[in-house]
Amino acid sequence: TQIRVERRNCKGKEQKIADELVNMYKYDEMGREIEGRKTVYATVVTRGTMFIINLFTSSNPPLITLADIYKKESQFIYDSNIVMPMIWGINEFGEVLKSDIIDTHSFIISGEPRSGKSWKVQSLLLQMCMFSSPKDINIYIYDMKDTTSDYRKMGTLIPHFKDIQSTKQGILKSLTRLTTTEAVRRKNILKENSVINIKDLKSKNPNVELPYLYIVFDEMMALASSFTKEEKKMYDDLLKQLVSIYPNLGFRVIFIPHRIKDEVISKMVYQLVGCRMCLKQQFEDMKEALSITRKDFPYSLCNKGDIALKSSSLNGGKATYCHAEAVSPSQDINEKIYKYVGEVWKKLVPGCDSDMVGSMEQERRSKVDRSFGVRDLKESLESVKDMENSISVDDILSDSEEDLNFWG
């Protein structure tokens, strides 16, 4: 049941009013419990001069799972024109928010601990893996939490995950390899096929195997604070390259900070990110990161899983209120789903998990490798500059005016 109330004389008391409505629903005038109305729960969404109370016949906060939404949105999921279907959650009216993220090159998902951030990221990664082959997307995880990482179990069960690094040295080494050796390899493949980006390659020559690379950065504050001043500057430069130059090569990034702050992700970087989310944060903490005013976004994020979502693939790029879905009601069930998805892909694409095992072994070795540092990062940045300078119109053999404008 949904009730809309004017906030005129009750600002700051919305949840108390919602709880009182629950009591009115559960008890009669004498305070006796009405039969059949024992389990009721209320949530509040504030929107400008109004707030919306949702009454649920449950004793716990409502949890919307992917299964719930898929039952309602099967037509969207089965649509063959949708390359990479993504469910974001529901809005305040219970309407499903969804889009095709094939053209979304980068994401920021920010939120304090216990805001629902980790579950949202797990759902996002799982949806990618469910609808794309390990030959189409690969995932690299950089997370300082080591064995307690929220994504380690996914990485051991789903073959799309190719590397999980949890030390500064391991992360820098893996990142440098991707932005030098792998980037040059991809540039040469595009050149050989006379295209300038991976999307055109997949359209023109789908037999060429070149997966999108999703690089996930979690615990970004811990990682940033572990660098020396010189390392931090070079690391920031690499992040800029990832969101500005490398998307045409199939590199995509997912940043997961607690807050979108300049010392964690520079403003120059986060303003280039196509999809930005803030979970259960105060308006003052997210207004600059999302470039919004109170008029643009009149909501308050009161509940776990409440999101301010701004994506180029949704609502014309305008900020949207969203309540996130979860993969399932519990982590144990999540892991069973991960295992099922992984086993299906291993049958469909035999051998797709072989390099995953090698990556795990490489991570264990990297924990005792302390030699990687500033010099290696300098060489990485020099390679990036060389790569930029080597790209020309003759290389890509394109007469498209739009493509020429893209390369300047």
Side-chain angles (χ1 to χ4, degrees):
T1 303
Q2 191 172 87
I3 304 166
R4 303 183 190 187
V5 185
E6 287 286 340
R7 296 180 73 195
R8 192 176 304 138
N9 298 315
C10 54
K11 192 172 182 179
K13 302 176 182 177
E14 295 89 350
Q15 189 61 54
K16 289 183 178 180
I17 293 172
D19 293 340
E20 185 59 31
L21 281 173
V22 168
N23 291 332
M24 291 170 64
Y25 180 83
K26 289 172 64 175
Y27 303 102
D28 62 19
E29 293 86 347
M30 302 298 293
R32 294 171 298 199
E33 190 174 281
I34 299 174
E35 188 176 351
R37 296 187 180 183
K38 186 175 182 178
T39 56
V40 185
Y41 188 89
T43 64
V44 174
V45 177
T46 61
R47 182 182 185 183
T49 59
M50 295 180 59
F51 67 98
I52 300 166
I53 299 173
N54 294 299
L55 291 175
F56 298 88
T57 54
S58 168
S59 58
N60 299 307
L63 181 72
I64 299 111
T65 67
L66 276 177
D68 297 328
I69 295 178
Y70 282 168
K71 290 173 185 176
K72 186 176 181 181
E73 293 293 336
S74 58
Q75 187 173 353
F76 170 74
I77 299 301
Y78 291 142
D79 188 343
S80 60
N81 294 316
I82 305 296
V83 180
M84 199 174 285
M86 182 57 59
I87 299 297
W88 299 109
I90 61 172
N91 66 12
E92 69 271 34
F93 305 115
E95 299 164 341
V96 176
L97 300 176
K98 57 189 184 292
S99 67
D100 187 346
I101 62 166
I102 189 61
D103 292 322
T104 304
H105 300 144
S106 48
F107 305 79
I108 296 179
I109 304 171
S110 68
E112 301 295 338
R114 294 173 293 281
S115 63
K117 176 182 61 176
S118 295
W119 277 44
K120 179 60 198 175
V121 178
Q122 289 178 53
S123 175
L124 182 141
L125 293 175
L126 179 66
Q127 290 181 70
M128 290 178 180
C129 295
M130 284 165 57
F131 297 105
S132 299
S133 162
K135 291 186 175 182
D136 292 326
I137 71 166
N138 290 170
I139 298 171
Y140 290 73
I141 301 290
Y142 300 151
D143 186 358
M144 299 283 280
K145 289 197 296 290
D146 196 11
T147 56
T148 60
S149 170
D150 297 302
Y151 318 106
R152 180 165 290 275
K153 183 59 72 172
M154 295 184 81
T156 60
L157 296 173
I158 300 177
H160 301 66
F161 289 73
K162 301 304 179 185
D163 200 359
I164 299 179
Q165 296 292 344
S166 58
T167 65
K168 179 180 77 170
Q169 288 76 22
I171 290 170
L172 291 179
K173 199 169 187 177
S174 176
L175 184 58
T176 301
R177 184 189 68 79
L178 291 177
T179 54
T180 52
T181 307
E182 180 61 21
V184 171
R185 183 183 78 87
R186 287 169 171 259
K187 179 214 160 187
N188 290 334
I189 291 175
L190 297 186
K191 181 179 177 180
E192 289 166 6
N193 287 272
S194 302
V195 296
I196 66 167
N197 62 59
I198 189 173
K199 188 176 180 182
D200 289 347
L201 175 69
K202 290 182 177 295
S203 176
K204 181 180 179 179
N205 195 349
N207 292 324
V208 177
E209 189 175 320
L210 195 67
Y212 289 101
L213 298 186
Y214 284 87
I215 306 173
V216 182
F217 294 84
D218 201 357
E219 290 300 318
M220 296 190 70
M221 178 64 81
L223 179 59
S225 62
S226 71
F227 291 131
T228 65
K229 187 175 181 180
E230 190 173 4
E231 285 174 337
K232 178 64 166 60
K233 182 181 184 304
M234 294 178 180
Y235 167 76
D236 288 342
D237 287 340
L238 282 175
L239 294 189
K240 291 173 189 174
Q241 305 294 343
L242 282 174
V243 299
S244 59
I245 294 175
Y246 288 158
N248 72 298
L249 301 177
F251 287 82
R252 300 184 168 188
V253 292
I254 302 175
F255 298 122
I256 315 173
H258 291 305
R259 295 187 185 182
I260 305 175
K261 300 174 71 174
D262 196 60
E263 57 264 36
V264 179
I265 309 174
S266 71
K267 189 173 183 179
M268 184 181 296
V269 171
Y270 72 66
Q271 287 188 334
L272 293 172
V273 173
C275 178
R276 286 172 264 171
M277 287 179 263
C278 296
L279 280 87
K280 200 181 178 183
Q281 291 187 4
Q282 298 297 318
F283 181 79
E284 292 300 316
D285 294 329
M286 62 186 183
K287 65 179 182 181
E288 184 175 359
L290 298 181
S291 303
I292 55 174
T293 65
R294 261 301 180 195
K295 185 177 180 181
D296 301 324
F297 192 80
Y299 303 91
S300 296
L301 306 181
C302 306
N303 306 297
K304 182 177 180 179
D306 283 353
I307 301 176
L309 170 61
K310 192 171 187 179
S311 173
S312 56
S313 67
L314 190 69
N315 194 27
K318 298 178 182 177
T320 306
Y321 167 80
C322 173
H323 184 75
E325 82 298 343
V327 173
S328 77
S330 75
Q331 194 62 32
D332 288 341
I333 298 175
N334 285 3
E335 291 178 8
K336 291 179 181 178
I337 295 172
Y338 303 156
K339 184 176 181 180
Y340 178 82
V341 171
E343 292 302 317
V344 168
W345 280 117
K346 289 173 190 176
K347 288 182 179 294
L348 293 174
V349 188
C352 63
D353 60 331
S354 58
D355 50 351
M356 179 65 191
V357 176
S359 296
M360 292 297 189
E361 187 62 35
Q362 181 184 21
E363 180 199 5
R364 285 192 286 272
R365 290 196 300 268
S366 73
K367 287 184 179 180
V368 296
D369 179 3
R370 304 301 179 192
S371 62
F372 191 87
V374 173
R375 180 179 296 178
D376 303 271
L377 278 174
K378 283 182 176 178
E379 290 176 0
S380 173
L381 288 173
E382 289 303 317
S383 298
V384 169
K385 291 175 183 176
D386 291 342
M387 195 183 86
E388 290 182 68
N389 294 333
S390 67
I391 295 174
S392 69
V393 175
D394 291 333
D395 284 338
I396 57 179
L397 302 175
S398 172
D399 58 357
S400 163
E401 182 178 351
E402 179 181 345
D403 292 342
L404 294 177
N405 288 335
F406 175 81
W407 290 106

